[in-house]
Amino acid sequence: MTATDTPLRYGFVSRVLHWSIAALLAWQFGGMALKEIVGRTPLMGFWVGSHSSVGTLLLALIAIRAIWALTQMRHRPPHGPGLLGRLANLGHVALYVLMLTVPSLAFLRMLGGERPVAVFGVTLRGPRAEAVEWMTAPANLLHGTLAWTLLALIAGHVSMALLHGLWWRDGTLARMAGRVSAPRS
């Protein structure tokens, strides 16, 4: 098992980052979706209360993942030729852009807001007399909309992975799992 990517499979580092981020995004979207469905209950209070801390962790992991992806670009499995390959590349770029933008906006809002800033119980900044408008306005305007757009892209990403793995059986899904499988003829 290699740490780095190869043309045949994603390496250990890419896979750990991918699946860790996927699990944390599922936590984030699951909490927000359930909050919309069931409202603010004690369970939702805990779940939604972790949103900022988990989002900050996500921002750090996504930044690491983006840097790692750039270092591995020449080694990664190809997306394939033609229109589908170009669409896959475009889809991945859009995922990275939104994965970086959504938590960045929220982090900026958190830093510019009136409430104290704490991440996993560690206080980074005490309360502020008033919010810093230029820091809070972009997230107030875009964070939710871009987050749900990201979820739609993730749904498309998962759908395509399943299409590759279950219908086309071309080995694409296996490469992110760390296995190399021969494409079905």
Side-chain angles (χ1 to χ4, degrees), residues 10-185:
Y10 293 94
F12 179 76
V13 174
S14 291
R15 290 192 322 272
V16 166
L17 288 169
H18 178 273
W19 294 110
S20 298
I21 290 168
L24 292 171
L25 285 169
W27 175 266
Q28 294 290 76
F29 284 117
M32 290 297 105
L34 284 174
K35 182 192 86 161
E36 293 296 321
I37 293 167
V38 301
R40 289 199 178 266
T41 65
L43 174 61
M44 289 297 89
F46 165 75
W47 206 332
V48 173
S50 72
H51 194 77
S52 294
S53 293
V54 173
T56 302
L57 176 59
L58 265 168
L59 178 57
L61 288 176
I62 292 163
I64 291 167
R65 183 173 178 196
I67 292 166
W68 180 256
L70 289 173
T71 68
Q72 298 298 300
M73 195 177 301
R74 291 191 177 135
H75 310 289
R76 296 190 137 194
H79 287 121
L83 179 62
L84 284 180
R86 286 193 298 277
L87 289 174
N89 281 328
L90 182 62
H92 283 95
V93 168
L95 280 168
Y96 275 99
V97 167
L98 283 177
M99 284 191 306
L100 286 165
T101 302
V102 169
S104 294
L105 287 170
F107 191 71
L108 187 63
R109 175 175 56 195
M110 186 171 65
L111 291 177
E114 296 170 336
R115 288 191 254 169
V117 175
V119 177
F120 293 108
V122 177
T123 300
L124 303 178
R125 180 187 53 72
R128 191 188 288 278
E130 62 183 61
V132 179
E133 182 68 19
W134 70 265
M135 294 174 85
T136 60
N140 290 340
L141 181 64
L142 297 171
H143 177 72
T145 301
L146 291 179
W148 295 116
T149 302
L150 173 60
L151 181 60
L153 273 177
I154 291 169
H157 179 72
V158 170
S159 297
M160 288 308 298
L162 292 173
L163 182 65
H164 277 282
L166 301 175
W167 185 264
W168 293 336
R169 295 185 185 170
D170 62 3
T172 299
L173 187 57
R175 291 194 303 250
M176 187 46 83
R179 298 184 311 272
V180 177
S181 64
R184 181 175 70 164
S185 302

